[in-house]
Amino acid sequence: MIIRILGEGQFRFDDSHLGELNEIDNQIVDHVKKGDKNGFCQDLARMISTVKELGKPISEEEVIPSDLIVPPADLSFEEAKDIFCNEGIIEG
Amino acid sequence: MGFLERVSTVLQAKMNKIMNRIEDPREVLDVSYEKQLQLLQNVKRGVAEVTTSKKRLELQKAKLQMNIDKLDGQAKEAISANREDLARKALESKAMMQAQLNTLDREIVELNDQQQKLQAAEARLATKVEAFRTKKETIKAQYSAADAQVKITESVTGISEEMADVGLAVQRAEEKTEDMKARSAALDELLESGTLTDYSGGDEIEAELARVKAKNTVDEELAKLKAEVNK
C-alpha cells in the first residue's frame, strides 16, 4: 500500500507490517481520548519513523494517490483533537 | 475510527471536492494543472514571507544585543562611580532584554525549520507538477483508450493529494509567521520606547518567577562587577 507522511512525501509500505501501524494508531486514539499530550507526541513520532523504516520512498516523478495519510511530526495535540471533533487541520 | 483513517478521510474529502466540480475528465487535467501552478506560486510566496520574518527577527536580535552590551558598559561605569543603584537598574534592564533575546533565538530556529520544510515542499511539488504535465499530454493524446478515465482519476487524485499536502504546509507556515509578526511588532514598539518591562505575558506566577530569576541574575552580576572594579 502507499502511505503519505504529510510534508515528507510518499512511501510504499508492505501490508504485512500493517499490524504494527495499527497498534500505534490505537495508542494515539487512546492518548487523544485521555488527554495524554506526551504519549501522543511520542507515538506520533514512532508512527512516522515506523513508516520511514519499513517503507520505501516513492520517486518524486511518480504521481499516485495514497491509501493512508500520516499527519506531520509537528502536529500539535490541539490539532489532533480537532481532527477527531471537527473538520480537522484542513480548511475546506 | 482510527487516527490515520480519520486524517486520510479528511484530506481525501478535500481532494474530491476539487474533482467533482468538473464534468469532462480531460478538463480536470487542465484545471488541475492550472491549480498546481497557482499553488507553486503560493509556496514561493510562503517561502519569501518566512524568510522576511526571519530576517526581521535577526535584526531585532542584533538590536537587543547592542542594547545589552550598552547596558553592560553602563553598569560597569556605575560601579566605578560607586553608584550601585544605577548599576542595579542597568542590570535589571539587561536581564529583561536577555530573556527577550532567548525567546527570539528560539523563534529564529523555528522559522528556519519552517523555511526549510517549505523549500523542500516547493522542490517536491515542482517535480510532481512537471511529471503531471507530461502525463497529462500523454493521456489526452490517447483519450479514446478505455483506460484513460482510470489514468486520469489516478493522476489527478495523486496530484491533488500532493497539493493538499503542500497547501497544508503553507497554511501552517503562514499561521506561525502571523503569530510571530504580532509579537515582533510589539517588541519593536518596546525597543523604540526603551521600556522593556512586561516580557512574561499575563500569567502572574510566571511574571513573579521571572522577576525573582532576573533579580538573582542581577545580584550575581552586580557582585561580579564589584569584584572586578575593586580588584
Side-chain angles (χ1 to χ4, degrees):
Chain A
M1 72 182 334
I2 312 278
I3 302 184
R4 169 183 294 276
I5 302 174
L6 285 180
E8 301 196 39
Q10 292 168 297
F11 296 80
R12 226 177 277 282
F13 195 81
D14 200 282
D15 287 5
S16 61
H17 294 304
L18 217 52
E20 286 159 80
L21 222 52
N22 256 330
E23 186 253 328
I24 307 176
D25 193 36
N26 288 338
Q27 300 260 359
I28 290 184
V29 174
D30 226 39
H31 295 317
V32 176
K33 272 190 197 146
K34 285 184 187 147
D36 179 359
K37 205 169 169 175
N38 284 341
F40 165 79
C41 291
Q42 271 170 21
D43 276 328
L44 180 58
R46 192 154 69 93
M47 177 179 267
I48 290 171
S49 60
T50 304
V51 174
K52 280 189 190 163
E53 271 165 33
L54 301 176
K56 277 203 189 91
I58 286 176
S59 137
E60 287 181 2
E61 280 90 28
E62 242 183 292
V63 183
I64 39 168
S66 317
D67 302 295
L68 271 182
I69 295 170
V70 180
D74 62 351
L75 184 86
S76 73
F77 189 62
E78 284 66 32
E79 285 173 309
K81 277 198 290 195
D82 210 37
I83 291 177
F84 283 103
C85 306
N86 306 306
E87 258 274 278
I89 43 175
I90 323 289
E91 277 175 8
Chain B
M1 202 191 274
F3 184 61
L4 273 185
E5 206 180 321
R6 183 83 184 113
V7 174
S8 307
T9 311
V10 168
L11 207 88
Q12 275 152 359
K14 184 194 163 77
M15 285 152 20
N16 287 337
K17 259 192 212 162
I18 308 175
M19 294 200 34
N20 289 341
R21 269 186 230 128
I22 304 150
E23 279 170 8
D24 182 346
R26 278 172 297 183
E27 204 190 322
V28 172
L29 293 172
D30 290 328
V31 172
S32 172
Y33 184 63
E34 283 301 311
K35 279 183 186 280
Q36 291 158 34
L37 295 181
Q38 270 172 27
L39 179 59
L40 252 181
Q41 286 308 312
N42 273 352
V43 184
K44 281 194 207 311
R45 254 206 313 279
V47 172
E49 202 159 299
V50 173
T51 313
T52 313
S53 295
K54 198 177 93 181
K55 279 204 185 118
R56 184 166 177 199
L57 292 193
E58 277 165 352
L59 261 175
Q60 282 186 328
K61 189 184 155 184
K63 243 194 231 170
L64 270 176
Q65 190 59 57
M66 260 169 61
N67 279 343
I68 288 174
D69 293 346
K70 189 176 150 203
L71 285 166
D72 239 351
Q74 286 176 335
K76 256 181 217 154
E77 271 179 52
I79 288 289
S80 305
N82 241 341
R83 286 286 305 273
E84 190 177 323
D85 57 324
L86 265 186
R88 178 174 289 277
K89 220 171 159 187
L91 289 177
E92 273 166 6
S93 290
K94 184 188 154 190
M96 284 165 196
M97 300 228 175
Q98 191 62 52
Q100 286 284 359
L101 193 84
N102 295 345
T103 312
L104 275 185
D105 267 337
R106 274 199 306 277
E107 288 179 343
I108 289 171
V109 169
E110 223 177 285
L111 279 185
N112 204 25
D113 200 39
Q114 287 290 333
Q115 189 186 12
Q116 276 168 7
K117 270 187 202 155
L118 275 190
Q119 276 164 343
E122 186 193 335
R124 213 171 47 231
L125 182 66
T127 313
K128 294 248 183 209
V129 168
E130 188 44 35
F132 181 87
R133 196 186 60 81
T134 319
K135 212 170 168 185
K136 166 174 92 98
E137 295 314 320
T138 320
I139 297 174
K140 271 167 124 184
Q142 356 157 303
Y143 183 58
S144 53
D147 64 345
Q149 179 65 57
V150 179
K151 276 191 195 152
I152 291 175
T153 309
E154 197 193 65
S155 42
V156 172
T157 316
I159 197 82
S160 304
E161 190 184 299
E162 191 68 37
M163 288 162 72
D165 185 346
V166 175
L168 180 63
V170 176
Q171 189 189 317
R172 286 164 71 87
E174 267 170 10
E175 278 165 16
K176 281 230 165 82
T177 41
E178 274 311 307
D179 282 357
M180 284 181 193
K181 252 194 225 159
R183 258 191 45 82
S184 157
L187 181 58
D188 261 347
E189 265 177 45
L190 287 172
L191 276 172
E192 289 282 308
S193 67
T195 51
L196 204 58
T197 42
D198 185 24
Y199 52 89
S200 50
D203 189 327
E204 250 180 70
I205 300 173
E206 256 326 286
E208 186 59 35
L209 281 177
R211 268 194 291 275
V212 172
K213 218 169 121 194
K215 190 179 172 297
N216 288 343
T217 320
V218 169
D219 287 343
E220 268 171 38
E221 276 208 63
L222 207 52
K224 218 164 78 190
L225 273 185
K226 272 201 224 160
E228 258 178 47
V229 171
N230 295 333
K231 242 180 222 167

